Amino acid sequence: MSTPAISTDRLLLRRWRVEDVAPFAAICGDPEVMRYIGAGATRTAEQAAASIRGFEHAWEEKGYGPFALERRDSGEMIGFTGLSEPAFLPEIMPAVELGWRLARRSWGNGYATEAARAVLDFARLELGLSEIVSVFQTGNAASARIVRKLGMRFERETRDPTCGRLVHVYRTPSGD
Ligand SMILES: CC(C)(COP(=O)(O)OP(=O)(O)OC[C@H]1O[C@@H](n2cnc3c(N)ncnc32)[C@H](O)[C@@H]1OP(=O)(O)O)[C@@H](O)C(=O)NCCC(=O)NCCS
């Protein structure tokens, strides 16, 4: 299934390319980026490449997945924002999760929020999904701020069974 790219003021949200492997591997090799993801381990270049294959597989199978984020001014690939199934947390399944991971040098510019708003519109208008969840570890203040900016509501605190860490689950208001 081919998915049109989405343009926002400053970003292009698009499907993944072979050239994305190196910059995505650098992002996933940064311990600060990975701090609140699973047990906080960095990924090898091969694991990052496998993740991109998984993202593209999700797009083909489900019609959604994480979008690669490209800065429109420079063409730089700065990470992802998009949708996935939070299978790691069976207690909230079935669900579709909105998530984000950006290169550290691009943090603090509102990029994740800008992309997330576009993904929520895509989910509602193109996929007909009225409810989206977001799950993040309790220390992840930037993610906590983003879900509030998006108008998502706190649903529960629980533990990620894959790593034992506490997570917060937020959800778009129903009917949104
Ligand atoms: C989370 C992440 C995607 C945010 O990207 P970003 O483009 O910097 O996000 P935005 O600028 O759109 O919004 C971040 C908000 O959090 C705030 N914030 C950032 N760090 C913060 C902190 N330590 N404490 C409180 N607020 C913080 C920012 O000020 C901003 O809020 P504001 O617009 O009110 O000023 C980025 O930090 C990242 O990639 N982190 C590592 C990966 C990760 O943890 N992903 C989520 C896993 S669930």
Side-chain angles (χ1 to χ4, degrees):
M1 174 178 167
S2 106
T3 305
I6 301 172
S7 277
T8 65
D9 283 351
R10 297 175 297 165
L11 299 169
L12 180 67
L13 285 65
R14 59 160 176 78
R15 295 278 292 265
W16 295 81
R17 301 177 185 150
V18 174
E19 310 88 85
D20 298 328
V21 171
F24 190 60
I27 292 167
C28 300
D30 180 341
E32 274 298 305
V33 171
M34 301 307 288
R35 180 170 173 196
Y36 297 113
I37 296 171
T42 56
R43 307 287 197 266
T44 65
E46 180 41 49
Q47 287 171 324
S51 293
I52 289 180
R53 289 195 294 275
F55 299 159
E56 276 300 311
H57 184 71
W59 275 108
E60 295 300 327
E61 291 293 306
K62 301 178 194 301
Y64 63 77
F67 285 95
L69 298 188
E70 190 176 298
R71 278 177 55 164
R72 291 176 61 194
D73 59 356
S74 63
E76 182 188 4
M77 205 293 290
I78 59 167
F80 72 73
T81 299
L83 302 171
S84 62
E85 272 193 350
F88 68 93
L89 202 56
E91 67 185 86
I92 63 167
M93 289 294 285
V96 178
E97 181 189 6
L98 173 62
W100 32 71
R101 187 183 308 171
L102 270 61
R104 199 177 349 157
R105 67 182 167 281
S106 66
W107 293 1
N109 296 299
Y111 288 138
T113 305
E114 184 172 320
R117 289 190 204 284
V119 172
L120 285 178
D121 285 347
F122 170 79
R124 194 177 61 246
L125 300 173
E126 302 294 329
L127 306 174
L129 292 172
S130 54
E131 286 198 16
I132 298 289
V133 299
S134 195
V135 184
F136 57 87
Q137 296 181 0
T138 51
N140 194 339
S143 291
R145 178 77 189 120
I146 293 169
V147 295
R148 288 179 200 127
K149 286 196 287 184
L150 295 173
M152 297 175 90
R153 294 182 189 153
F154 176 75
E155 181 173 281
R156 72 177 83 174
E157 179 175 279
T158 186
R159 262 179 215 284
D160 177 345
T162 69
C163 62
R165 292 189 178 180
L166 275 179
V167 293
H168 281 181
V169 178
Y170 276 69
R171 188 179 292 270
T172 52
S174 52
D176 207 19

